[in-house]
Amino acid sequence: MRAPHLAFLLLLGVHASAPAHAGSTAQVSIAPEEDWFASQYTPGGLEVRADVRVFTLFALLNRAGYDAGPVERAHPVPTYRYGRARTLVREKLATAAPSVLEDARTYFAAHPEPVEVYLARVLGGPDVPGAPGDLVGLEALLARVEREWPVAALRAETLPDFRAAQRAWLPLLDGPFKQAARLLGLREGEPAPRVVVNLLEAEGSVRPVDTGRGWVIVVGPATRAPEPEPVVRELARGLLSSRLAGRLGARWAGGAAALKDARAKGAGEGTVDDYGVALLSRALALTATGAPAGAYEAAQREGYFGLKTLSRSFEDTRPVDVWALDGLARAVTQQANRK
């Protein structure tokens, strides 16, 4: 193994015992059911996989009315654009055993948690800390889905779609993830981020999930082509949210005014903490992906100010959570001076 490649694996926390096919997209010829458990790897050893548990969860969510996606026609009744795999699953499950659906709706009503919480439970297991640990009974519900609905056959039928989507990500992730690991100050030995492709989601969706044993980024179908910047941004947002929780709102002097201006431009964050993390995450992702000047300008038009200044702050050798307040203050001051 070449030294630079080994250093990259250590930086991202990938062990030297990674599968021997880590540098290749070729897959062993095995049965479709088993192939669903087979990951693909970037040349640098990052895992990109489809996940049986995520497929089953989202097959159930779609059947229960999860319609998120681009609006294809707004009137008189909204219709949404779905990819081939999601359309197929929704059509085939339209007549699936209704008793499972009734029980699922009862369960969802009793556990009104965000999708990320459900993902953390299925990817991290019953011992995952926090809210996902409260989803007792989810595994039994999904087991019923497996027994009584044709999800195994649907996985086999959509396998080519998932494999094509996985392969499209492989050449795009190594450089940005290596840069993100450096900028975030990830330590050697920390679990490497993994990417799970979920074609039963909305186009362009990116969900960071803390499994309790490392971060998983669940990506939906690409709108045109896969883009690494949103993936790096959401990974950074997840990590920084956990590091900076409750630390920005009370201490960032210009935060409230910055958030007010940002919301007037269309930014969606509702708290100073969330907005500060959004600024830091966007600046890091644009830096890690070598984004052009136009990307910074587009973000500013959407209410995310001072990202160029924040990008320069990442040259600081200290961990980002140490200099975050100073960096945000500089960015806000620069924005105020431009008015």
Side-chain angles (χ1 to χ4, degrees), residues 12-15 186-194 211-215:
L12 289 175
V14 178
H15 301 295
L186 296 186
R187 297 181 295 273
E188 289 184 10
E190 290 188 16
R194 292 171 289 149
T211 68
R213 294 184 293 275
W215 285 87

Side-chain angles (χ1 to χ4, degrees), residues 16-336:
S17 59
H21 62 280
S24 170
T25 62
Q27 298 297 305
V28 179
S29 178
I30 52 181
E33 294 82 359
E34 296 171 341
D35 200 38
W36 257 88
F37 294 93
S39 299
Q40 299 191 48
Y41 292 84
T42 69
L46 291 170
E47 183 181 14
V48 181
R49 66 172 296 146
D51 191 279
V52 172
R53 300 159 296 180
V54 173
F55 185 100
T56 304
L57 172 65
F58 271 80
L60 177 58
L61 290 174
N62 274 269
R63 179 66 185 92
Y66 182 76
D67 295 328
V71 177
E72 195 166 61
R73 188 186 69 235
H75 306 290
V77 177
T79 61
Y80 303 91
R81 183 173 72 246
Y82 306 132
R84 192 195 84 91
R86 190 176 180 193
T87 299
L88 177 67
V89 169
R90 290 172 68 92
E91 289 176 350
K92 291 290 180 69
L93 293 182
T95 57
S99 60
V100 179
L101 180 59
E102 292 168 8
D103 288 350
R105 286 176 171 159
T106 300
Y107 186 89
F108 296 149
H111 301 84
E113 299 287 353
V115 168
E116 286 84 358
V117 174
Y118 278 82
L119 283 168
R121 175 74 182 215
V122 300
L123 291 168
D127 296 328
V128 66
D134 296 332
L135 296 178
V136 177
L138 180 59
E139 289 81 7
L141 175 62
L142 297 181
R144 277 198 69 194
V145 173
E146 287 285 344
R147 288 194 308 270
E148 300 182 37
W149 288 4
V151 288
L154 288 169
R155 280 196 294 270
E157 196 167 351
T158 58
L159 179 62
D161 303 82
F162 277 84
R163 282 291 176 258
Q166 287 173 261
R167 286 193 295 271
W169 282 104
L170 298 181
L172 304 177
L173 298 175
D174 283 341
F177 270 48
K178 180 181 179 180
Q179 279 286 81
R182 181 181 67 81
L183 296 173
L184 286 165
L186 296 186
R187 297 181 295 273
E188 289 184 10
E190 290 188 16
R194 292 171 289 149
V195 174
V196 167
V197 172
N198 177 18
L199 298 186
L200 307 188
E201 246 287 30
E203 281 184 13
S205 65
V206 183
R207 298 186 185 274
V209 180
D210 184 1
T211 68
R213 294 184 293 275
W215 285 87
V216 176
I217 313 300
V218 182
V219 297
T223 301
R224 295 183 183 85
E227 297 181 11
E229 189 274 329
V231 176
V232 174
R233 184 201 314 162
E234 290 304 307
L235 171 63
R237 183 174 68 84
L239 284 163
L240 292 175
S241 292
S242 63
R243 290 185 188 179
L244 298 172
R247 293 176 53 188
L248 298 180
R251 298 171 59 195
W252 181 14
L259 176 60
K260 182 179 179 180
D261 291 344
R263 288 181 63 83
K265 290 278 191 179
E269 287 73 26
T271 69
V272 171
D273 276 282
D274 288 346
Y275 182 60
V277 168
L279 288 178
L280 291 164
S281 303
R282 283 175 177 263
L284 183 146
L286 292 172
T287 303
T289 55
Y296 291 86
E297 295 164 3
Q300 178 150 318
R301 289 193 294 271
E302 296 172 2
Y304 299 96
F305 310 123
L307 296 186
K308 268 289 186 184
T309 300
L310 273 177
S311 292
R312 289 191 289 273
S313 295
F314 281 101
E315 297 169 5
D316 195 317
T317 57
R318 297 174 298 168
V320 61
D321 39 314
V322 174
W323 59 255
L325 280 167
D326 291 340
L328 290 168
R330 285 193 297 271
V332 168
T333 299
Q334 183 191 64
Q335 177 62 24

